[in-house]
Amino acid sequence: MNGLYQPFKNFDFKNDKCFLSGDAFATPLTSVNVLPDWLLSMANLTGNEQIKLLDESIRTYKSLVVPCNVTVSDQFVSPLEDRVALAFGKGYAGVSALPEIDLFNWIGKFMYSILYIEMQGAIRLQQLSGDGMNMSQGLMHKFGNLHIMLQSIYREVVFEDFTPWSILVVPLEEKETAFSFRDEINTLTFSLKFKDFGIIACLQDNGTNKRYHQELVDSIQGKKLSEQQFEEVAARFFYSAYLFNRLPEYTIMPVEDTIYIDAMPLKGTLNKALFDVWAHKTYAQVLENFWKPWGHTLFEIIKNPTAPMSYFDEPFLPAAG
């Protein structure tokens, strides 16, 4: 198992290898649901709910599956699902007590599975040639790094003195929030709300987005948020992840059965800030989308161009350019 399986090198998205481990185990393949049965059941979903993929195809939740080695599925993926299911069952108290690596692996597995299916669609539409040349090298690099980090689901991965992600788990005022999620594949950003908790995650930023919003994060510590407040925080992270202008680089070293990952400094040689300039107007457009259920118009949100609408008394907005 010493070598690294790197699906983006040969565009391995043909359902003939384990999506996670390649051919690391000599056992047959099975299918793993992207949205696990326990989650559909807990959220009172039928599995017939629909999701639109980037190739414009409409798929039901339960039709989204990826190939997984039986050993990996039984011995590693299922126990991870069990831990997350147990935590979700207990609501905020359970989810906030989960090790962040479990949340990272669970969200990462979900997003990588969606990506795996999106890649198949792109190859089918011939938007991607076999060597993937029409996909930005930067994106392939980022997705490939995420895949290597997700190997920690079934083998030991050591992050040397850094955390590759920003994860925020917050309590919600509403005890029975309906399940919903959103994801942005290009920036590997994800949010989910359910029951009495919300989760926001940036999977490949070395903790930078959380530090960028540190004042806001500190101010809401332990406070129960309304759904509007949660969506406002999520909108900030989704927008800043888009403004984040570095492609994190890592030194990756497999030694026997362990993968050691060290982060290169993000500063690099560029003499510019880690984030492009925050623009209130663009942020307001993101917010309008996140606040759709409450019907706030862009005009209303940006009525005061220097202070967009906020559900927080003290918004702690980043300085705009």
Side-chain angles (χ1 to χ4, degrees):
M1 203 201 285
N2 290 355
L4 278 180
Y5 171 51
Q6 294 179 291
F8 287 89
K9 288 244 162 96
N10 306 314
F11 276 67
D12 263 344
F13 304 101
K14 304 183 192 74
N15 287 333
D16 60 348
K17 283 193 186 91
C18 174
F19 81 114
L20 205 52
S21 69
D23 286 333
F25 297 86
T27 51
L29 288 175
T30 181
S31 288
V32 170
N33 288 33
V34 176
L35 279 133
D37 288 341
W38 68 261
L39 184 56
L40 297 179
S41 152
M42 203 182 277
N44 293 321
L45 299 172
T46 62
N48 294 318
E49 292 77 12
Q50 295 182 327
I51 186 170
K52 189 179 193 177
L53 299 178
L54 297 176
D55 65 359
E56 300 291 311
S57 64
I58 306 282
R59 301 277 293 273
T60 61
Y61 283 179
K62 65 183 179 196
S63 74
L64 298 172
V65 294
V66 288
C68 187
N69 190 285
V70 169
T71 305
V72 173
S73 173
D74 292 351
Q75 293 182 19
F76 305 102
V77 173
S78 289
L80 172 65
E81 292 290 355
D82 292 345
R83 291 195 297 278
V84 175
L86 191 65
F88 273 42
K90 294 175 182 168
Y92 174 73
V95 177
S96 58
L98 262 180
E100 280 196 348
I101 184 69
D102 278 351
L103 280 175
F104 171 75
N105 281 337
W106 188 76
I107 295 166
K109 179 185 76 69
F110 174 83
M111 288 193 76
Y112 182 74
S113 300
I114 296 273
L115 176 63
Y116 187 98
I117 292 164
E118 297 279 20
M119 297 299 282
Q120 292 177 333
I123 290 166
R124 201 167 43 246
L125 288 177
Q126 295 179 321
Q127 289 170 345
L128 276 176
S129 46
D131 57 6
M133 283 322 286
N134 354 15
M135 185 179 186
S136 112
Q137 294 298 307
L139 274 183
M140 283 204 293
H141 193 62
K142 185 165 34 171
F143 296 155
N145 282 338
L146 174 68
H147 182 267
I148 288 171
M149 290 172 183
L150 291 176
Q151 306 294 296
S152 70
I153 292 173
Y154 74 94
R155 65 191 287 188
E156 191 173 2
V157 172
V158 176
F159 299 114
E160 308 253 30
D161 300 324
F162 84 104
T163 305
W165 60 79
S166 289
I167 291 177
L168 194 59
V169 178
V170 297
L172 301 179
E173 287 173 355
E174 177 59 57
K175 290 268 184 288
E176 293 302 327
T177 308
F179 170 77
S180 66
F181 72 90
R182 62 174 85 224
D183 60 0
E184 167 44 60
I185 291 277
N186 286 352
T187 58
L188 292 174
T189 311
F190 173 90
S191 71
L192 173 157
K193 59 181 197 277
F194 187 33
K195 296 186 169 191
D196 65 342
F197 66 90
I199 304 170
I200 299 168
C202 304
L203 298 184
Q204 201 83 150
D205 72 341
N206 297 357
T208 316
N209 282 282
K210 201 168 180 179
R211 288 191 288 276
Y212 186 71
H213 298 293
Q214 198 66 55
E215 276 187 309
L216 177 70
V217 170
D218 291 344
S219 74
I220 61 175
Q221 193 72 43
K223 290 183 184 155
K224 293 182 179 177
L225 304 187
S226 66
E227 280 195 70
Q228 295 96 320
Q229 286 175 320
F230 173 74
E231 293 298 347
E232 182 177 339
V233 178
R236 304 241 192 131
F237 274 81
F238 273 73
Y239 180 45
S240 68
Y242 164 76
L243 296 177
F244 181 54
N245 59 37
R246 297 292 198 278
L247 181 64
E249 295 279 358
Y250 305 98
T251 307
I252 296 164
M253 199 186 304
V255 180
E256 292 174 349
D257 281 348
T258 304
I259 302 171
Y260 293 90
I261 303 181
D262 200 0
M264 312 290 274
L266 285 173
K267 290 279 178 277
T269 51
L270 301 173
N271 293 324
K272 61 175 187 172
L274 293 178
F275 291 88
D276 290 337
V277 176
W278 181 279
H280 285 331
K281 190 173 181 193
T282 314
Y283 162 64
Q285 291 167 333
V286 177
L287 210 43
E288 182 188 26
N289 187 25
F290 280 58
W291 276 346
K292 262 210 180 95
W294 299 279
H296 295 302
T297 62
L298 184 60
F299 174 74
E300 185 186 358
I301 295 168
I302 200 81
K303 202 170 182 180
N304 177 348
T306 60
M309 180 180 166
S310 173
Y311 273 88
F312 293 103
D313 297 335
E314 178 60 78
F316 291 113
L317 269 166

